[in-house]
Amino acid sequence: MADPSVERAVALLRAGGLVAFPTETVYGLGADASNASAVARIFAAKGRPAGRPLTVHLGPTADPATWAAWDERAERLATALWPGPLTLVLPRGPTVPDIVTGGQPTVGLRVPAHPLAIELLDAFGGGVAAPSANRSGHVSPTRAEHVHADLGDAVDLVVDGGECTVGVESTVLLLAGPRPRVLRLGAAPVERLEEILGEPVDRPAD
């Protein structure tokens, strides 16, 4: 039987609402990624500067090629590490709203591993734009009560999935250039990415 909080979350997302939900890394503040007005509410709730790109979260059954130029490298990484704490940054698809990408030619995609996130995303059926569910500059939340304390009434629903098991944000890997490049170090080790790809991965500058 579907979790009633997930059913309510899906209805709110389809209506343009904001829903905080657990992933294995931190809680995310989600909106329908295809609805620019809904995504704008994320920036307002967080006090997030305009122009910063957001990651699109997908369920395991979704087709990432509807959001980005999916290639063989991305497929290998997704097969090995999704669902999991890896965000892949790829050339964006033509229908992705500018507000999601910050006007950039790329989009970040991730399939989170938390069972409630998977249930929600599969039931929703589309992409959910979701940065961490906290005000900009504050600590990323790993429990539902952290979200309530930081965002209060700015979020329409918090889906309580207990404490996040990883507690460290996802690794962000750019696949839009000739060499893969890590934009943010996170829970997926760079050495594992190199093992899967069979090639060096550039690390962020110190």
Side-chain angles (χ1 to χ4, degrees), residues 60-150:
T61 61
D63 180 5
T66 62
W67 293 90
W70 196 247
D71 61 17
E72 188 268 340
R73 291 186 302 179
E75 183 65 29
R76 274 190 287 164
L77 288 162
T79 298
L81 297 178
W82 279 2
L86 174 66
T87 298
L88 298 178
V89 180
L90 299 148
R92 62 187 277 191
T95 62
V96 181
D98 282 344
I99 192 170
V100 172
T101 67
Q104 297 184 25
T106 55
V107 64
L109 303 178
R110 179 162 107 82
V111 176
H114 195 288
L116 272 179
I118 290 172
E119 184 180 350
L120 188 159
L121 292 163
D122 271 346
F124 179 64
V128 174
S132 56
N134 56 277
R135 296 196 183 276
S136 289
H138 292 194
V139 175
S140 297
T142 56
R143 296 185 65 87
E145 52 262 38
H146 300 160
V147 182
H148 286 294
D150 208 16

Side-chain angles (χ1 to χ4, degrees), residues 2-3 5-7 9-10 13 19-31 55-62 82-85 110-131 157-165:
D3 187 302
S5 65
V6 168
E7 292 182 346
V10 169
L13 288 170
V19 173
F21 62 97
T23 75
E24 76 280 22
T25 57
V26 298
Y27 275 73
L29 180 62
T55 297
V56 176
H57 291 67
L58 303 172
T61 61
W82 279 2
R110 179 162 107 82
V111 176
H114 195 288
L116 272 179
I118 290 172
E119 184 180 350
L120 188 159
L121 292 163
D122 271 346
F124 179 64
V128 174
L157 176 67
V158 179
V159 178
D160 190 345
E163 187 160 11
C164 301
T165 55

